[in-house]
Amino acid sequence: MATPVASSSQPAQIPALDAPHKEGTKKPKDKKAKDAGSAHPLELDPRPEYFDHRLKIFEKLKAEYDEWVKNQPRQEITITLPDGSQRKGTSWETTPLDVAKEISKGLADRVVIAKVNGELWDLERPLEGSVSLELLDFEHPEGKRVFWHSSAHVLGEAAERHYGCHLCIGPPTEDGFFYEMAIEDRPVVNADYPALEKVADSAIKEKQKFERLVVPKEILLEMFGYNKYKKYIIETKIPDGTSTTVYRCGPMVDLCVGPHIPHTGRIKAFMVTKNSASYFLGDANNDSLQRVYGISFPDKKQLSEYKKFLEEAAKRDHRKIGKEQELFFFNDLSPGSCFFLPHGTRIYNTLVDLMRSEYFKRGYQEVISPNLYHSKLWETSGHWQNYKDDMFSLDIEKEKWALKPMNCPGHCLIFDSRDRSYKELPIRMAEFGIIHRNEASGALTGLTRVRRFVQDDTHVFCMPQQIEDEIAALFDFMQHIYGLFGFEFHLELSTRPDNYLGTIETWDAAEDQLKKALEKFYPGKWEINPGDGAFYGPKIDITIRDALKRAFQCATIQLDFQLPERFNLKYRSADEAADAGKPPPRPVIIHRAILGSLERFIAIITEHFAGKWPFWLSPRQVLVVPVAVPYREYASEVADKLSKLGLYVDVDNGENTLPKKIRNGEIAQYNFILVVGQDELDTRSVNVRNRDDVGTKARTETLPLDVIAEKLLALKNDRSLHNKLA
């Protein structure tokens, strides 16, 4: 029998909660002692030779740099703070931390990083001239990233001291940090976590300073000559004849652009959260590496709060709820492809029905396009050049074909299937198309990362002068849909990436139009995300926040001038007859998704509602329970009447006791339990129990059958978040 794919189907295993940690383990008497639960010493002794090799080069260069700084001319400088106030300082001496100390000791203790003339700057790096200065703490997004980036260096130091590994990259993430490493003779296991945390803790207690140094490429290659991964990064990312920065903390020296916190002692709470396998630079053709993740905070209370957050997230895990409520499952005969069970399909179809009802009101036309296309289509669209590795391709009759990873090229063919007039525009072409993307097997994660999925995809073909109105309509559509789920959202403009198609002038014009739309409808409430646009055009990414305040990117609005050019799309303009020599104009395509992947959106709302579905979305809306055998027929009659109204109704005519039946209904998260006995039979009524009236044991409200039917139908049609009958 086939077994489920663990990475896809199993409820989240949270090593941060389940694995051993340094708390509660006995402290070894010396470095050679084996750590509790581990078969290896806490630190290697002797330590790897590369420690001394790096430090010798670093200390020589640092002494030269310090001497150079000492000889720089000192001048009075002006430091302008965000409130407009100014302070005096001395070039090459005054640091941002000095300014913070002048303002208050509390600020100096709290601040994480500085921003000098808009550029992130180490707190203890001297100012070189008159500047504008911002001081950022951990609660600022950029401050948090710097704090976690510095913590990644501490994790890297601990890994080098414990494993003797060769480090690769160690960036901050949205919820902490990780470091990738190559270890020759052993895998990373949960039992290693206490050792890593203890070594990290010792580095933190030493208050190791983060020291910055600019180093030429040729010396970097000498400094990191022992590490083929660092050498590759230096050789490919740093142009000949140039320099970049390294940072030291304690015995560790790492290639890094920085900046960093002043010293490791700023980290008050540090925890290893999980580990996984990875590939160097994310390429499966490269060496297999090991990745260790962590989290850190400037206050121990924040770590306690984070652990509580993880516990709540584990309870809400969509894979756990999906199994308990029999919504979906995965199987290794089709990894990354969800099997929706009947109750999960109810949720899925309700979402599709919601979008279809809005399409009808908002002038959309739904289409259906093929799943499989010849490679010529993808060459025309640019996907073959830019996205081929993420596509499922196959050979058919000696020619290359591929399953579609996106709907847009097919919609271009539909637009081009006949002549188009400006009078038809805008055409809002919608499709719930099946999409396949070749995600790495190790990346598959429940419904949030799959290979086969469906998007609520739309492509708006319009004239340039219609763009603003169409985007305004999309903003209205988005606000309406997200409001139904109680989501807050945040907007970002993602601009031209390195692998862009088309001309810079076209991109600049597209980005300018999106900026105008954002500033008109959300003035001051959006940010720029440079270089993260699609290869064919800039986009507005909309990030929603769930009940746990976690961020998810679902909706997107992308402006595309490239595909109409590549597919030679055109339409007849109003002045075509007057200027016969003028080439026909091209439409602009607006790519739009609101729910995004339905699979991923179902994962998000499962965790957002913690499996307690609003009535209109619930796969189990009503359970009818007879108090005894004589009332089973009436219970079935009630269920039948409500089912014919389009409600999801079950009846429990089993052998359990009444309290047991009611308890089972509560556990299954039925929105309403209708209890029927002699009184209800005599009066053609039902006794109503509301899921959200917690702890109600006494007899509750009794309503006539026709009245409850009307109220339940109204609640469904209202799409309310509240489980209350009007």
Side-chain angles (χ1 to χ4, degrees):
M1 178 180 287
T3 56
V5 178
S7 64
S8 285
S9 64
Q10 298 302 312
Q13 303 298 308
I14 303 184
L17 296 177
D18 302 331
H21 292 281
K22 64 183 176 65
E23 295 86 358
T25 58
K26 292 183 179 179
K27 188 175 181 179
K29 294 180 181 179
D30 56 58
K31 292 181 180 179
K32 292 182 181 180
K34 292 180 180 179
D35 186 59
S38 173
H40 302 275
L42 191 64
E43 295 190 49
L44 295 178
D45 189 9
R47 66 185 186 181
E49 292 180 0
Y50 59 72
F51 276 64
D52 293 332
H53 169 75
R54 289 183 314 209
L55 286 174
K56 184 178 178 181
I57 297 173
F58 183 91
E59 287 171 351
K60 177 178 179 294
L61 294 175
K62 185 67 165 62
E64 293 172 359
Y65 174 73
D66 290 344
E67 185 64 28
W68 180 83
V69 170
K70 185 178 176 182
N71 294 325
Q72 295 308 299
R74 269 45 176 178
Q75 297 176 332
E76 185 178 80
I77 60 173
T78 301
I79 302 157
T80 306
L81 299 175
D83 63 0
S85 63
Q86 294 184 333
R87 292 175 181 267
K88 297 299 180 183
T90 304
S91 62
W92 298 102
E93 286 185 6
T94 302
T95 67
L97 189 58
D98 293 333
V99 178
K101 287 176 180 176
E102 282 183 20
I103 296 171
S104 76
K105 184 180 183 301
L107 176 63
D109 291 340
R110 192 176 73 251
V111 68
V112 168
I113 201 68
K115 222 171 184 183
V116 173
N117 294 334
E119 176 189 347
L120 288 173
W121 193 275
D122 297 283
L123 284 173
E124 294 190 325
R125 179 180 168 189
L127 300 171
E128 299 168 11
S130 294
V131 297
S132 62
L133 175 67
E134 292 179 74
L135 298 168
L136 312 179
D137 63 13
F138 180 78
E139 297 308 318
H140 189 284
E142 289 181 290
K144 189 170 289 182
R145 285 186 65 81
V146 167
F147 191 92
W148 282 341
H149 188 188
S150 301
S151 302
H153 280 240
V154 174
L155 174 60
E157 177 187 334
E160 285 189 333
R161 289 165 62 179
H162 181 66
Y163 297 115
C165 58
H166 285 182
L167 297 176
C168 301
I169 59 170
T173 66
E174 290 297 316
D175 53 0
F177 50 88
F178 69 79
Y179 225 117
E180 280 184 340
M181 61 200 73
I183 309 175
E184 287 188 2
D185 55 351
R186 58 185 279 204
V188 177
V189 294
N190 287 11
D192 297 342
Y193 294 4
L196 290 170
E197 290 171 350
K198 284 175 184 176
V199 178
D201 199 39
S202 71
I204 289 167
K205 286 177 180 176
E206 290 171 10
K207 296 185 178 180
Q208 299 169 352
K209 288 186 66 174
F210 279 91
E211 298 178 281
R212 177 182 184 271
L213 198 59
V214 178
V215 182
K217 180 176 181 177
E218 60 272 17
I219 298 179
L220 288 171
L221 289 170
E222 179 189 355
M223 181 182 281
F224 294 100
Y226 67 93
N227 185 327
K228 68 177 182 178
Y229 307 104
K230 297 290 184 186
K231 280 181 66 180
Y232 179 85
I233 293 170
I234 294 165
E235 288 167 348
T236 58
K237 301 294 184 184
I238 302 169
D240 290 343
T242 65
S243 303
T244 193
T245 51
V246 297
Y247 276 80
R248 174 187 177 180
C249 62
M252 179 186 171
V253 180
D254 201 11
L255 185 71
C256 180
V257 296
H260 286 285
I261 59 178
H263 59 79
T264 58
R266 291 293 187 94
I267 302 167
K268 302 302 182 186
F270 182 101
M271 181 174 72
V272 176
T273 56
K274 62 180 178 178
N275 66 276
S276 68
S278 63
Y279 296 107
F280 181 51
L281 302 179
D283 187 339
N285 296 313
N286 291 339
D287 287 0
S288 180
L289 304 174
Q290 302 193 62
R291 184 180 288 185
V292 180
Y293 293 81
I295 191 77
S296 64
F297 298 97
D299 187 326
K300 289 184 178 180
K301 289 181 181 177
Q302 290 170 299
L303 180 58
S304 298
E305 291 168 0
Y306 178 74
K307 289 179 178 178
K308 289 178 183 176
F309 163 81
L310 288 180
E311 290 172 0
E312 181 61 26
K315 292 176 188 174
R316 292 171 176 257
D317 188 297
H318 71 278
R319 291 162 291 187
K320 173 178 178 287
I321 292 171
K323 183 177 181 180
E324 291 170 351
Q325 297 190 4
E326 295 186 354
L327 304 178
F328 58 83
F329 71 94
F330 289 83
N331 189 285
D332 64 357
L333 293 178
S334 186
S337 302
C338 181
F339 291 77
F340 278 101
L341 296 167
H343 288 87
T345 303
R346 289 176 177 182
I347 297 169
Y348 185 102
N349 286 340
T350 300
L351 292 174
V352 172
D353 290 344
L354 166 66
M355 298 306 293
R356 280 198 171 121
S357 68
E358 291 297 324
Y359 287 167
F360 183 78
K361 299 173 191 173
R362 296 171 186 267
Y364 285 71
Q365 303 174 53
E366 194 172 339
V367 298
I368 300 173
S369 62
N371 284 352
L372 185 65
Y373 291 92
H374 194 281
S375 61
K376 289 178 182 177
L377 176 86
W378 307 115
E379 289 167 4
T380 300
S381 69
H383 286 85
W384 208 246
Q385 301 90 307
N386 293 279
Y387 206 78
K388 183 181 178 182
D389 291 344
D390 297 307
M391 298 168 65
F392 286 102
S393 59
L394 55 158
D395 294 312
I396 301 176
E397 297 178 350
K398 299 181 180 180
E399 295 192 317
K400 284 286 185 184
W401 297 69
L403 292 170
K404 65 180 178 184
M406 300 173 185
N407 290 309
C408 37
H411 290 187
C412 288
L413 295 184
I414 294 174
F415 182 91
D416 199 39
S417 63
R418 65 169 174 81
D419 287 345
R420 301 287 179 179
S421 165
Y422 74 96
K423 295 178 182 178
E424 296 178 70
L425 304 184
I427 295 173
R428 305 181 187 99
M429 199 178 294
E431 179 174 12
F432 296 99
I434 296 171
I435 303 295
H436 286 86
R437 294 182 184 171
N438 190 11
E439 300 283 358
S441 58
L444 301 177
T445 310
L447 290 174
T448 60
R449 198 76 176 266
V450 291
R451 288 175 172 169
R452 185 265 189 206
F453 59 96
V454 170
Q455 287 183 316
D456 65 320
D457 215 1
T458 290
H459 296 95
V460 180
F461 296 82
C462 65
M463 294 183 283
Q465 60 267 35
Q466 295 172 321
I467 290 174
E468 188 173 311
D469 288 343
E470 288 303 305
I471 290 179
L474 292 176
F475 284 154
D476 178 75
F477 195 171
M478 177 187 71
Q479 283 184 290
H480 172 69
I481 294 296
Y482 286 163
L484 293 174
F485 300 93
F487 286 136
E488 301 172 355
F489 59 87
H490 172 75
L491 301 107
E492 286 185 340
L493 173 59
S494 297
T495 57
R496 184 177 67 249
D498 293 336
N499 64 334
Y500 70 92
L501 298 179
T503 66
I504 289 179
E505 292 76 18
T506 301
W507 273 84
D508 287 346
E511 289 174 8
D512 189 54
Q513 285 190 286
L514 291 182
K515 285 176 184 176
K516 287 179 180 176
L518 284 165
E519 202 52 40
K520 180 176 180 178
F521 296 100
Y522 299 99
K525 297 180 181 178
W526 58 280
E527 296 177 4
I528 286 187
N529 183 14
D532 202 37
F535 64 85
Y536 49 76
K539 57 180 180 171
I540 298 171
D541 287 325
I542 296 93
T543 303
I544 60 175
R545 290 196 174 272
D546 70 0
L548 295 182
K549 302 301 180 185
R550 297 173 299 183
F552 301 93
Q553 196 259 303
C554 292
T556 185
I557 298 171
Q558 303 175 3
L559 209 52
D560 188 351
F561 291 86
Q562 307 304 326
L563 282 184
E565 187 80 31
R566 297 178 76 90
F567 279 91
N568 194 27
L569 304 183
K570 50 192 177 294
Y571 60 90
R572 295 193 306 275
S573 64
D575 57 357
E576 183 179 53
D579 191 354
K582 186 178 179 181
R586 299 199 187 283
V588 178
I589 298 178
I590 303 174
H591 303 249
R592 183 244 68 185
I594 293 179
L595 304 182
S597 154
L598 266 72
E599 283 77 359
R600 184 165 179 267
F601 194 78
I602 289 171
I604 292 168
I605 59 177
T606 301
E607 298 183 5
H608 179 60
F609 294 122
K612 292 189 174 184
W613 302 96
F615 185 78
W616 68 274
L617 192 56
S618 176
R620 294 177 175 86
Q621 293 172 328
V622 178
L623 177 66
V624 186
V625 178
V627 300
V629 172
Y631 311 108
R632 288 179 177 179
E633 185 177 341
Y634 180 55
S636 297
E637 180 187 339
V638 170
D640 185 55
K641 178 180 177 68
L642 297 178
S643 295
K644 286 178 179 177
L645 295 174
L647 301 176
Y648 295 131
V649 186
D650 295 310
V651 59
D652 188 346
N653 276 332
E655 300 301 324
N656 286 326
T657 63
L658 176 62
K660 179 67 172 175
K661 290 179 179 181
I662 291 174
R663 181 59 185 148
N664 288 343
E666 290 171 343
I667 292 170
Q669 298 297 339
Y670 282 92
N671 297 72
F672 295 96
I673 299 174
L674 308 183
V675 180
V676 295
Q678 188 63 49
D679 290 346
E680 288 75 25
L681 175 61
D682 292 342
T683 57
R684 306 291 296 170
S685 62
V686 293
N687 184 253
V688 184
R689 288 174 178 261
N690 187 326
R691 177 195 66 193
D692 293 350
D693 291 342
V694 181
T696 302
K697 299 298 182 185
R699 183 179 176 85
T700 52
E701 182 182 19
T702 298
L703 293 173
L705 182 53
D706 289 340
V707 173
I708 189 66
E710 183 181 325
K711 287 179 177 288
L712 290 172
L713 201 56
L715 182 60
K716 177 185 176 182
N717 293 335
D718 286 346
R719 296 196 176 106
S720 172
L721 286 172
H722 305 291
N723 204 56
K724 292 182 179 179
L725 298 173

